[in-house]
Amino acid sequence: MAVHESSPLGRHSSWLGIAILLAVLIAYAPALNCGYIWDDDDYILHNDTLRSLSGLWQIWFELGAVPQYYPLVHTTYWLEFQVWGTHPAGYHLLNVLLHAASAILLWRILTRLEVPGAWLAAAIFALHPVHVESVAWMTERKNTLSGLFYLLAAMSYFRADLRFSPQRGESEDQNSMRWGWYLASWFLYAAALLSKTVTITLPAAILLMIWWKEGSISRKDFVRCLPMLILGLPLAWLTVWMEQHYVGIKHIDLGLEPVDRLLIAGRALCFYVEKIIWPVDLAFIYPRWNIDSTDWGQYLFPLVFSGVLLVLWGQRRTIGRGPLVACLFFAGTVSPALGFVDIYPMRFSFVADHFQYLASIGLITLLACLIRHWIFVPLRGNRSLILLFVLGLLSVLATLTWRQCGIYKDLKTLWGDTLTKNPHSAMVHHNLATTLADNGEYQQAISHFQRTLELDPDDTDSHYNLGVAFSKLEEWEQAVVHLTRTLKMGHLAPAVYRNRGRAYLNLGQLEHALEDYTQLVEVMPVAFNFAERAEVYARMENWTAVVADCDAALNLVPDRASILLQRGVAKLWLGRDAEAQSDFSRCVSLQSGAKDFIAQQTKRILQARVGQRDQDAGPPGD
């Protein structure tokens, strides 16, 4: 297919697809060395549905089996897991290839639509750093896969509609459709929805393109797009329902009034425009704005964006409909993430780079057209300068993308970079602290947990994690303080009782330790918890209680060497030597290395018993 505008690449358009692919592979090369980050464990690393054929059934037919009902996305994970298991490089490579394919397809679509600067728009889309979050983050396969199907569906529709055919002839009925391509667009649109339902905006985008080309939208155009809308609405409803019942937004009160949502939407639109034009300080989590409907300055954002649309509408006969269509496409495509519907990420930020993955096409295409009009046309006679400008622009974008990929290397790098750009986020401090704690860097973790509580005093998770971190450093008193605070805040998880019980045990406060372990056994009567309470009883020298707890544990796990040893020692103290030796024999048969330890304990206890008997007998008489 020929390129329909003058450009230094116009004569070599057959190579443009290869050039885009190579450029994307080079720019995103650091992503191939990235590991698992936020949510990747739920989607891939610890996703049990990927490990069996029955899991594939669950992905498609069991709601809640995977974090979100995007079955095509999880099917790709399932297929990849069969090939390379949990090695992250393969998942990253597929994301990169999907993005490259979308960029190439975008070029073909814009060329078919006869958009000036189509090749440049596709190249900018391919290399723009705002897309790194969608490509380098494995969880955002949702974007790269749905984006490809979205563009394939659009291309199929435009192939079906003869008005978009570059070879159309006057003798053809321009209102007719190629029905094979038309039906294919339905199936591809369904695939896009099953990858991510924000692609529901495609029918509106198609109608926009028709209006741009024809100047009006007929009733027949609406009817042709109606099946797509009918297909999309129930899946969109399912996504909202899943967000409420499985992701957890139902239990979160964001406290947003309608006017607040309008202010969020206006500011978000302006924010995304800024990041397309000036992609610096891109962050994984952006600061969450304080929305105040009494602050009239905040109304400027929706007013400015609305004003731009009104001006473009008023000038559509002078400058053409293209700029207005580009802005409407951008706003409409990003609309599901503008805050009109509650989604989980709104807890900590109203914007994210991955929200505008597809929407950015509108602004990027407009930007490419403006570059062509303001730079390429005046320099039409100097292709060397044009080529130099293009190479400079794309090199800058590729370099920024390369650098941005680096922050997705691992969780510590990701949260560290995010913290420099969003230093007042309790959530970021907490996640960095959790990562540091997982790496054994408890002292550094403590400082970030403490900072989290300064920003959000009611964060029960940080109090609990602080208690655990202090326990790891054997600062037992501080551990008790934060674990007690956790319980007072209503976080009554068994792990809190277990950790505070251990802290009390190490402080020698045996009665308090016993209270916590008793509570633990009541809420979670498993063998391990009975054995831990038996240890408290042993410190209190209540050997009868030790035997009782060991009996309870062994009823649940009959052949646990450590518990048999624990019970044998208690029986030996109670003088039930034969029973103790029976437990010791079973213990040795399960763990031969315990033999020497049992001999030492037996000798010590027997000597202690003799000493105790001598003490009880008193001094010898005359």
Side-chain angles (χ1 to χ4, degrees):
M1 181 180 297
V3 176
H4 293 286
E5 72 269 1
S6 174
S7 79
L9 296 177
R11 298 176 184 175
H12 308 287
S13 60
S14 60
W15 293 97
L16 184 58
I18 297 174
I20 289 175
L21 174 61
L22 292 176
V24 170
L25 288 173
I26 292 170
Y28 281 94
L32 303 183
N33 295 319
C34 293
Y36 289 93
I37 58 168
W38 202 33
D39 283 347
D40 287 344
D41 50 353
D42 291 334
Y43 277 75
I44 301 170
L45 194 59
H46 304 309
N47 186 352
D48 291 336
T49 65
L50 307 184
R51 288 159 170 77
S52 65
L53 189 60
S54 62
L56 189 59
W57 172 272
Q58 290 178 284
I59 286 171
W60 282 90
F61 302 107
E62 185 179 314
L63 294 180
V66 289
Q68 292 173 299
Y69 186 72
Y70 296 142
L72 272 180
V73 171
H74 291 281
T75 297
T76 64
Y77 292 147
W78 188 92
L79 292 170
E80 290 175 278
F81 186 86
Q82 314 314 309
V83 179
W84 42 67
T86 58
H87 197 286
Y91 298 92
H92 284 299
L93 177 60
L94 183 55
N95 262 16
V96 172
L97 292 176
L98 288 169
H99 177 63
S102 291
I104 295 169
L105 189 58
L106 175 62
W107 161 57
R108 300 296 297 272
I109 291 172
L110 295 178
T111 300
R112 173 171 283 271
L113 297 177
E114 299 178 316
V115 174
W119 63 271
L120 181 60
I124 294 174
F125 177 83
L127 300 176
H128 202 291
V130 80
H131 299 141
V132 171
E133 185 169 290
S134 295
V135 181
W137 185 10
M138 286 182 281
T139 292
E140 280 309 311
R141 171 72 55 78
K142 296 172 287 189
N143 267 356
T144 55
L145 187 65
S146 67
L148 182 62
F149 283 125
Y150 175 100
L151 293 171
L152 284 169
M155 179 59 122
S156 295
Y157 191 94
F158 296 141
R159 281 182 176 273
D161 192 333
L162 291 176
R163 290 172 295 180
F164 296 98
S165 174
Q167 289 84 29
R168 60 185 179 269
E170 293 183 4
S171 60
E172 294 180 278
D173 180 3
Q174 298 302 301
N175 287 319
S176 65
M177 297 286 281
R178 296 188 180 106
W179 293 103
W181 284 111
Y182 177 62
L183 292 176
S185 70
W186 289 10
F187 287 105
L188 291 166
Y189 177 60
L193 291 169
L194 292 171
S195 301
K196 193 172 184 180
T197 48
V198 294
T199 54
I200 192 176
T201 58
L202 177 60
I206 290 173
L207 291 173
L208 262 180
M209 296 304 107
I210 293 172
W211 180 74
W212 171 57
K213 297 289 283 188
E214 302 296 315
S216 63
I217 303 172
S218 68
R219 181 173 177 273
K220 186 176 290 186
D221 291 323
F222 279 108
V223 171
R224 287 170 178 171
C225 288
L226 187 60
M228 287 186 177
L229 185 62
I230 293 173
L231 180 63
L233 287 176
L235 286 173
W237 174 86
L238 179 60
T239 298
V240 173
W241 186 86
M242 288 284 292
E243 192 79 20
Q244 291 180 338
H245 292 83
Y246 287 95
V247 179
I249 197 67
K250 181 179 181 180
H251 306 291
I252 299 168
D253 182 12
L254 296 175
L256 297 174
E257 300 295 332
V259 67
D260 297 329
R261 297 182 187 278
L262 179 64
L263 295 177
I264 291 169
R267 186 163 180 177
L269 287 167
C270 294
F271 174 89
Y272 291 133
V273 172
E274 176 195 351
K275 291 304 178 185
I276 291 294
I277 297 173
W278 191 249
V280 297
D281 292 329
L282 301 178
F284 186 61
I285 303 293
Y286 290 102
R288 190 176 190 268
W289 309 313
N290 291 320
I291 301 300
D292 183 0
S293 58
T294 64
D295 180 3
W296 290 102
Q298 296 194 21
Y299 289 84
L300 289 176
F301 294 104
L303 288 174
V304 166
F305 194 85
S306 300
V308 169
L309 293 181
L310 287 174
V311 169
L312 292 177
W313 171 262
Q315 296 295 311
R316 68 190 185 282
R317 292 185 176 87
T318 304
I319 63 176
R321 295 183 292 271
L324 176 61
V325 167
C327 292
L328 289 174
F329 173 89
F330 161 71
T333 306
V334 79
S335 61
L338 288 181
F340 297 115
V341 177
D342 289 344
I343 53 177
Y344 189 80
M346 290 173 63
R347 291 182 60 201
F348 40 83
S349 182
F350 294 125
V351 290
D353 288 343
H354 68 272
F355 288 165
Q356 67 159 330
Y357 180 71
L358 279 174
S360 67
I361 290 173
L363 294 183
I364 287 173
T365 301
L366 177 58
L367 182 62
C369 291
L370 294 175
I371 290 173
R372 178 183 179 278
H373 180 72
W374 290 339
I375 297 177
F376 292 177
V377 171
L379 295 176
R380 189 187 300 272
N382 195 331
R383 289 177 174 255
S384 296
L385 282 179
I386 294 175
L387 185 61
L388 186 63
F389 174 86
V390 170
L391 290 177
L393 173 63
L394 298 183
S395 295
V396 169
L397 292 176
T399 301
L400 291 173
T401 291
W402 174 287
R403 292 179 57 187
Q404 189 69 11
C405 285
I407 75 169
Y408 293 85
K409 178 182 178 182
D410 52 43
L411 279 170
K412 184 177 179 180
T413 305
L414 178 67
W415 293 123
D417 177 84
T418 306
L419 190 63
T420 63
K421 299 165 182 173
N422 189 2
H424 303 298
S425 169
M427 175 264 202
V428 175
H429 277 284
H430 180 272
N431 285 356
L432 177 57
T434 301
T435 301
L436 291 168
D438 290 342
N439 293 339
E441 301 174 59
Y442 298 111
Q443 198 63 61
Q444 297 93 320
I446 285 171
S447 65
H448 286 289
F449 281 131
Q450 290 173 331
R451 178 58 178 151
T452 302
L453 290 172
E454 291 175 9
L455 295 165
D456 183 5
D458 296 326
D459 188 337
T460 56
D461 287 340
S462 287
H463 276 296
Y464 169 71
N465 288 321
L466 262 176
V468 173
F470 278 122
S471 294
K472 296 292 185 181
L473 295 176
E474 299 185 359
E475 298 182 26
W476 307 113
E477 291 182 355
Q478 285 294 323
V480 167
V481 168
H482 288 284
L483 293 169
T484 300
R485 177 65 175 160
T486 304
L487 291 169
K488 287 182 178 179
M489 295 174 75
H491 190 62
L492 307 178
V496 185
Y497 288 109
R498 178 182 294 113
N499 281 286
R500 192 175 70 165
R502 288 174 182 168
Y504 277 135
L505 186 62
N506 282 282
L507 287 170
Q509 299 180 30
L510 302 181
E511 293 295 337
H512 289 311
L514 182 59
E515 289 176 6
D516 278 348
Y517 277 111
T518 298
Q519 184 69 35
L520 176 63
V521 166
E522 289 178 359
V523 296
M524 186 180 286
V526 298
F528 182 74
N529 293 339
F530 280 113
E532 287 218 312
R533 187 172 69 172
E535 182 182 350
V536 180
Y537 280 127
R539 290 278 295 273
M540 301 172 76
E541 298 186 359
N542 186 343
W543 304 113
T544 301
V546 172
V547 170
D549 272 353
C550 288
D551 286 342
L554 290 168
N555 284 334
L556 298 168
V557 185
D559 295 320
R560 183 64 58 85
S562 59
I563 301 176
L564 287 166
L565 176 60
Q566 196 176 26
R567 187 173 71 174
V569 168
K571 287 179 177 179
L572 204 59
W573 278 111
L574 291 170
R576 296 157 58 177
D577 297 4
E579 295 178 32
Q581 291 305 316
S582 176
D583 282 343
F584 290 152
S585 297
R586 286 178 62 195
C587 176
V588 170
S589 67
L590 295 168
Q591 187 175 323
S592 58
K595 187 174 182 180
D596 291 340
F597 180 77
I598 289 171
Q600 294 171 3
Q601 288 295 307
T602 300
K603 181 179 179 181
R604 181 181 68 83
I605 293 170
L606 291 176
Q607 287 176 346
R609 281 167 47 186
V610 170
Q612 185 64 44
R613 283 197 300 268
D614 290 345
Q615 184 178 351
D616 292 342
D622 294 333

